[in-house]
PDB file of all heavy atoms in Angstrom:
ATOM      1  N   LEU M 232     -63.531  37.104 -35.102  1.00  0.00           N
ATOM      2  CA  LEU M 232     -64.305  38.021 -34.275  1.00  0.00           C
ATOM      3  C   LEU M 232     -65.413  38.693 -35.071  1.00  0.00           C
ATOM      4  O   LEU M 232     -66.526  38.878 -34.573  1.00  0.00           O
ATOM      5  CB  LEU M 232     -63.387  39.070 -33.650  1.00  0.00           C
ATOM      6  CG  LEU M 232     -62.371  38.549 -32.626  1.00  0.00           C
ATOM      7  CD1 LEU M 232     -61.458  39.678 -32.154  1.00  0.00           C
ATOM      8  CD2 LEU M 232     -63.067  37.898 -31.438  1.00  0.00           C
ATOM      9  N   ALA M 233     -65.113  39.064 -36.306  1.00  0.00           N
ATOM     10  CA  ALA M 233     -66.133  39.680 -37.149  1.00  0.00           C
ATOM     11  C   ALA M 233     -67.233  38.680 -37.493  1.00  0.00           C
ATOM     12  O   ALA M 233     -68.409  39.050 -37.612  1.00  0.00           O
ATOM     13  CB  ALA M 233     -65.502  40.218 -38.434  1.00  0.00           C
ATOM     14  N   GLY M 234     -66.863  37.401 -37.628  1.00  0.00           N
ATOM     15  CA  GLY M 234     -67.835  36.390 -38.001  1.00  0.00           C
ATOM     16  C   GLY M 234     -68.646  35.869 -36.834  1.00  0.00           C
ATOM     17  O   GLY M 234     -69.788  36.268 -36.618  1.00  0.00           O
ATOM     18  N   ARG M 235     -68.041  35.009 -36.025  1.00  0.00           N
ATOM     19  CA  ARG M 235     -68.814  34.374 -34.945  1.00  0.00           C
ATOM     20  C   ARG M 235     -68.743  35.103 -33.611  1.00  0.00           C
ATOM     21  O   ARG M 235     -69.466  34.765 -32.668  1.00  0.00           O
ATOM     22  CB  ARG M 235     -68.368  32.930 -34.769  1.00  0.00           C
ATOM     23  CG  ARG M 235     -66.930  32.763 -34.313  1.00  0.00           C
ATOM     24  CD  ARG M 235     -66.568  31.293 -34.233  1.00  0.00           C
ATOM     25  NE  ARG M 235     -65.210  31.101 -33.762  1.00  0.00           N
ATOM     26  CZ  ARG M 235     -64.652  29.900 -33.598  1.00  0.00           C
ATOM     27  NH1 ARG M 235     -65.343  28.815 -33.877  1.00  0.00           N
ATOM     28  NH2 ARG M 235     -63.414  29.794 -33.163  1.00  0.00           N
ATOM     29  N   GLY M 236     -67.832  36.080 -33.485  1.00  0.00           N
ATOM     30  CA  GLY M 236     -67.805  36.898 -32.284  1.00  0.00           C
ATOM     31  C   GLY M 236     -66.856  36.446 -31.196  1.00  0.00           C
ATOM     32  O   GLY M 236     -66.742  37.107 -30.170  1.00  0.00           O
ATOM     33  N   TYR M 237     -66.135  35.334 -31.400  1.00  0.00           N
ATOM     34  CA  TYR M 237     -65.166  34.891 -30.393  1.00  0.00           C
ATOM     35  C   TYR M 237     -64.121  34.006 -31.047  1.00  0.00           C
ATOM     36  O   TYR M 237     -64.322  33.494 -32.154  1.00  0.00           O
ATOM     37  CB  TYR M 237     -65.841  34.135 -29.243  1.00  0.00           C
ATOM     38  CG  TYR M 237     -66.264  32.724 -29.599  1.00  0.00           C
ATOM     39  CD1 TYR M 237     -65.452  31.623 -29.298  1.00  0.00           C
ATOM     40  CD2 TYR M 237     -67.473  32.470 -30.245  1.00  0.00           C
ATOM     41  CE1 TYR M 237     -65.839  30.333 -29.622  1.00  0.00           C
ATOM     42  CE2 TYR M 237     -67.869  31.182 -30.563  1.00  0.00           C
ATOM     43  CZ  TYR M 237     -67.037  30.116 -30.248  1.00  0.00           C
ATOM     44  OH  TYR M 237     -67.416  28.835 -30.582  1.00  0.00           O
ATOM     45  N   ILE M 238     -62.997  33.837 -30.356  1.00  0.00           N
ATOM     46  CA  ILE M 238     -61.974  32.915 -30.819  1.00  0.00           C
ATOM     47  C   ILE M 238     -61.239  32.343 -29.617  1.00  0.00           C
ATOM     48  O   ILE M 238     -60.935  33.052 -28.655  1.00  0.00           O
ATOM     49  CB  ILE M 238     -60.988  33.605 -31.793  1.00  0.00           C
ATOM     50  CG1 ILE M 238     -60.003  32.581 -32.366  1.00  0.00           C
ATOM     51  CG2 ILE M 238     -60.258  34.770 -31.130  1.00  0.00           C
ATOM     52  CD1 ILE M 238     -59.170  33.125 -33.525  1.00  0.00           C
ATOM     53  N   HIS M 239     -60.995  31.044 -29.651  1.00  0.00           N
ATOM     54  CA  HIS M 239     -60.225  30.331 -28.630  1.00  0.00           C
ATOM     55  C   HIS M 239     -58.803  30.219 -29.143  1.00  0.00           C
ATOM     56  O   HIS M 239     -58.566  29.686 -30.229  1.00  0.00           O
ATOM     57  CB  HIS M 239     -60.854  28.945 -28.414  1.00  0.00           C
ATOM     58  CG  HIS M 239     -60.036  28.015 -27.574  1.00  0.00           C
ATOM     59  ND1 HIS M 239     -60.172  26.649 -27.653  1.00  0.00           N
ATOM     60  CD2 HIS M 239     -59.091  28.250 -26.637  1.00  0.00           C
ATOM     61  CE1 HIS M 239     -59.346  26.071 -26.807  1.00  0.00           C
ATOM     62  NE2 HIS M 239     -58.677  27.026 -26.175  1.00  0.00           N
ATOM     63  N   LEU M 240     -57.841  30.732 -28.378  1.00  0.00           N
ATOM     64  CA  LEU M 240     -56.446  30.755 -28.792  1.00  0.00           C
ATOM     65  C   LEU M 240     -55.610  29.887 -27.865  1.00  0.00           C
ATOM     66  O   LEU M 240     -55.635  30.064 -26.640  1.00  0.00           O
ATOM     67  CB  LEU M 240     -55.903  32.182 -28.756  1.00  0.00           C
ATOM     68  CG  LEU M 240     -56.553  33.192 -29.700  1.00  0.00           C
ATOM     69  CD1 LEU M 240     -56.109  34.605 -29.334  1.00  0.00           C
ATOM     70  CD2 LEU M 240     -56.200  32.872 -31.141  1.00  0.00           C
ATOM     71  N   ALA M 241     -54.869  28.939 -28.434  1.00  0.00           N
ATOM     72  CA  ALA M 241     -53.893  28.192 -27.647  1.00  0.00           C
ATOM     73  C   ALA M 241     -52.709  29.093 -27.324  1.00  0.00           C
ATOM     74  O   ALA M 241     -52.435  30.074 -28.030  1.00  0.00           O
ATOM     75  CB  ALA M 241     -53.430  26.955 -28.407  1.00  0.00           C
ATOM     76  N   ALA M 242     -51.995  28.759 -26.264  1.00  0.00           N
ATOM     77  CA  ALA M 242     -50.904  29.611 -25.786  1.00  0.00           C
ATOM     78  C   ALA M 242     -49.880  29.958 -26.873  1.00  0.00           C
ATOM     79  O   ALA M 242     -49.470  31.126 -26.970  1.00  0.00           O
ATOM     80  CB  ALA M 242     -50.229  28.962 -24.592  1.00  0.00           C
ATOM     81  N   PRO M 243     -49.449  29.013 -27.700  1.00  0.00           N
ATOM     82  CA  PRO M 243     -48.460  29.400 -28.723  1.00  0.00           C
ATOM     83  C   PRO M 243     -48.991  30.458 -29.681  1.00  0.00           C
ATOM     84  O   PRO M 243     -48.235  31.343 -30.114  1.00  0.00           O
ATOM     85  CB  PRO M 243     -48.171  28.081 -29.449  1.00  0.00           C
ATOM     86  CG  PRO M 243     -48.498  27.019 -28.446  1.00  0.00           C
ATOM     87  CD  PRO M 243     -49.678  27.559 -27.695  1.00  0.00           C
ATOM     88  N   ALA M 244     -50.281  30.380 -30.008  1.00  0.00           N
ATOM     89  CA  ALA M 244     -50.863  31.367 -30.923  1.00  0.00           C
ATOM     90  C   ALA M 244     -50.914  32.741 -30.273  1.00  0.00           C
ATOM     91  O   ALA M 244     -50.574  33.751 -30.898  1.00  0.00           O
ATOM     92  CB  ALA M 244     -52.254  30.922 -31.355  1.00  0.00           C
ATOM     93  N   LEU M 245     -51.334  32.796 -29.016  1.00  0.00           N
ATOM     94  CA  LEU M 245     -51.388  34.089 -28.334  1.00  0.00           C
ATOM     95  C   LEU M 245     -49.992  34.658 -28.142  1.00  0.00           C
ATOM     96  O   LEU M 245     -49.762  35.854 -28.330  1.00  0.00           O
ATOM     97  CB  LEU M 245     -52.090  33.951 -26.985  1.00  0.00           C
ATOM     98  CG  LEU M 245     -52.236  35.268 -26.221  1.00  0.00           C
ATOM     99  CD1 LEU M 245     -53.192  36.210 -26.940  1.00  0.00           C
ATOM    100  CD2 LEU M 245     -52.713  35.026 -24.796  1.00  0.00           C
ATOM    101  N   GLN M 246     -49.045  33.795 -27.775  1.00  0.00           N
ATOM    102  CA  GLN M 246     -47.678  34.273 -27.587  1.00  0.00           C
ATOM    103  C   GLN M 246     -47.111  34.817 -28.892  1.00  0.00           C
ATOM    104  O   GLN M 246     -46.364  35.802 -28.899  1.00  0.00           O
ATOM    105  CB  GLN M 246     -46.786  33.157 -27.051  1.00  0.00           C
ATOM    106  CG  GLN M 246     -45.382  33.627 -26.704  1.00  0.00           C
ATOM    107  CD  GLN M 246     -44.547  32.536 -26.062  1.00  0.00           C
ATOM    108  OE1 GLN M 246     -44.976  31.390 -25.954  1.00  0.00           O
ATOM    109  NE2 GLN M 246     -43.358  32.881 -25.630  1.00  0.00           N
ATOM    110  N   GLN M 247     -47.483  34.186 -30.003  1.00  0.00           N
ATOM    111  CA  GLN M 247     -47.033  34.682 -31.303  1.00  0.00           C
ATOM    112  C   GLN M 247     -47.567  36.084 -31.573  1.00  0.00           C
ATOM    113  O   GLN M 247     -46.849  36.938 -32.093  1.00  0.00           O
ATOM    114  CB  GLN M 247     -47.511  33.726 -32.398  1.00  0.00           C
ATOM    115  CG  GLN M 247     -47.200  34.194 -33.810  1.00  0.00           C
ATOM    116  CD  GLN M 247     -48.018  33.470 -34.857  1.00  0.00           C
ATOM    117  OE1 GLN M 247     -48.823  32.601 -34.529  1.00  0.00           O
ATOM    118  NE2 GLN M 247     -47.820  33.818 -36.106  1.00  0.00           N
ATOM    119  N   ILE M 248     -48.832  36.332 -31.206  1.00  0.00           N
ATOM    120  CA  ILE M 248     -49.452  37.630 -31.460  1.00  0.00           C
ATOM    121  C   ILE M 248     -48.958  38.686 -30.474  1.00  0.00           C
ATOM    122  O   ILE M 248     -48.592  39.805 -30.858  1.00  0.00           O
ATOM    123  CB  ILE M 248     -50.980  37.519 -31.388  1.00  0.00           C
ATOM    124  CG1 ILE M 248     -51.511  36.574 -32.479  1.00  0.00           C
ATOM    125  CG2 ILE M 248     -51.640  38.893 -31.496  1.00  0.00           C
ATOM    126  CD1 ILE M 248     -51.241  37.026 -33.891  1.00  0.00           C
ATOM    127  N   VAL M 249     -48.959  38.351 -29.197  1.00  0.00           N
ATOM    128  CA  VAL M 249     -48.608  39.325 -28.152  1.00  0.00           C
ATOM    129  C   VAL M 249     -47.103  39.394 -27.941  1.00  0.00           C
ATOM    130  O   VAL M 249     -46.516  40.478 -27.873  1.00  0.00           O
ATOM    131  CB  VAL M 249     -49.333  38.987 -26.840  1.00  0.00           C
ATOM    132  CG1 VAL M 249     -48.860  39.896 -25.710  1.00  0.00           C
ATOM    133  CG2 VAL M 249     -50.841  39.101 -27.029  1.00  0.00           C
ATOM    134  N   GLY M 250     -46.479  38.231 -27.801  1.00  0.00           N
ATOM    135  CA  GLY M 250     -45.039  38.172 -27.617  1.00  0.00           C
ATOM    136  C   GLY M 250     -44.634  38.316 -26.158  1.00  0.00           C
ATOM    137  O   GLY M 250     -44.945  39.309 -25.515  1.00  0.00           O
ATOM    138  N   TRP M 251     -43.991  37.283 -25.609  1.00  0.00           N
ATOM    139  CA  TRP M 251     -43.393  37.376 -24.278  1.00  0.00           C
ATOM    140  C   TRP M 251     -42.312  36.321 -24.164  1.00  0.00           C
ATOM    141  O   TRP M 251     -42.325  35.306 -24.864  1.00  0.00           O
ATOM    142  CB  TRP M 251     -44.435  37.204 -23.165  1.00  0.00           C
ATOM    143  CG  TRP M 251     -45.123  35.862 -23.125  1.00  0.00           C
ATOM    144  CD1 TRP M 251     -44.598  34.655 -22.735  1.00  0.00           C
ATOM    145  CD2 TRP M 251     -46.479  35.592 -23.489  1.00  0.00           C
ATOM    146  NE1 TRP M 251     -45.534  33.660 -22.824  1.00  0.00           N
ATOM    147  CE2 TRP M 251     -46.700  34.200 -23.281  1.00  0.00           C
ATOM    148  CE3 TRP M 251     -47.533  36.377 -23.948  1.00  0.00           C
ATOM    149  CZ2 TRP M 251     -47.927  33.588 -23.545  1.00  0.00           C
ATOM    150  CZ3 TRP M 251     -48.751  35.770 -24.198  1.00  0.00           C
ATOM    151  CH2 TRP M 251     -48.939  34.395 -23.993  1.00  0.00           C
ATOM    152  N   THR M 252     -41.359  36.547 -23.288  1.00  0.00           N
ATOM    153  CA  THR M 252     -40.315  35.572 -23.024  1.00  0.00           C
ATOM    154  C   THR M 252     -40.704  34.732 -21.814  1.00  0.00           C
ATOM    155  O   THR M 252     -41.584  35.106 -21.029  1.00  0.00           O
ATOM    156  CB  THR M 252     -38.971  36.254 -22.744  1.00  0.00           C
ATOM    157  OG1 THR M 252     -39.067  36.971 -21.490  1.00  0.00           O
ATOM    158  CG2 THR M 252     -38.607  37.239 -23.856  1.00  0.00           C
ATOM    159  N   GLY M 253     -40.034  33.608 -21.655  1.00  0.00           N
ATOM    160  CA  GLY M 253     -40.300  32.765 -20.500  1.00  0.00           C
ATOM    161  C   GLY M 253     -40.025  33.473 -19.194  1.00  0.00           C
ATOM    162  O   GLY M 253     -40.765  33.327 -18.217  1.00  0.00           O
ATOM    163  N   GLU M 254     -38.986  34.283 -19.161  1.00  0.00           N
ATOM    164  CA  GLU M 254     -38.651  35.026 -17.944  1.00  0.00           C
ATOM    165  C   GLU M 254     -39.721  36.062 -17.636  1.00  0.00           C
ATOM    166  O   GLU M 254     -40.125  36.238 -16.475  1.00  0.00           O
ATOM    167  CB  GLU M 254     -37.298  35.696 -18.101  1.00  0.00           C
ATOM    168  CG  GLU M 254     -36.825  36.440 -16.861  1.00  0.00           C
ATOM    169  CD  GLU M 254     -35.448  37.049 -17.033  1.00  0.00           C
ATOM    170  OE1 GLU M 254     -34.849  36.855 -18.111  1.00  0.00           O
ATOM    171  OE2 GLU M 254     -34.985  37.731 -16.105  1.00  0.00           O
ATOM    172  N   GLN M 255     -40.194  36.765 -18.660  1.00  0.00           N
ATOM    173  CA  GLN M 255     -41.255  37.753 -18.448  1.00  0.00           C
ATOM    174  C   GLN M 255     -42.513  37.085 -17.919  1.00  0.00           C
ATOM    175  O   GLN M 255     -43.158  37.600 -16.996  1.00  0.00           O
ATOM    176  CB  GLN M 255     -41.555  38.478 -19.758  1.00  0.00           C
ATOM    177  CG  GLN M 255     -40.494  39.459 -20.190  1.00  0.00           C
ATOM    178  CD  GLN M 255     -40.739  39.993 -21.590  1.00  0.00           C
ATOM    179  OE1 GLN M 255     -41.420  39.364 -22.399  1.00  0.00           O
ATOM    180  NE2 GLN M 255     -40.165  41.147 -21.899  1.00  0.00           N
TER     181      GLN M 255
END
């Protein structure tokens, strides 16, 4: 974000950062 201003995140990467269960 500091460099190019955006980032594309695949679902596993976002889930790792944010965290959610399948039920949630």
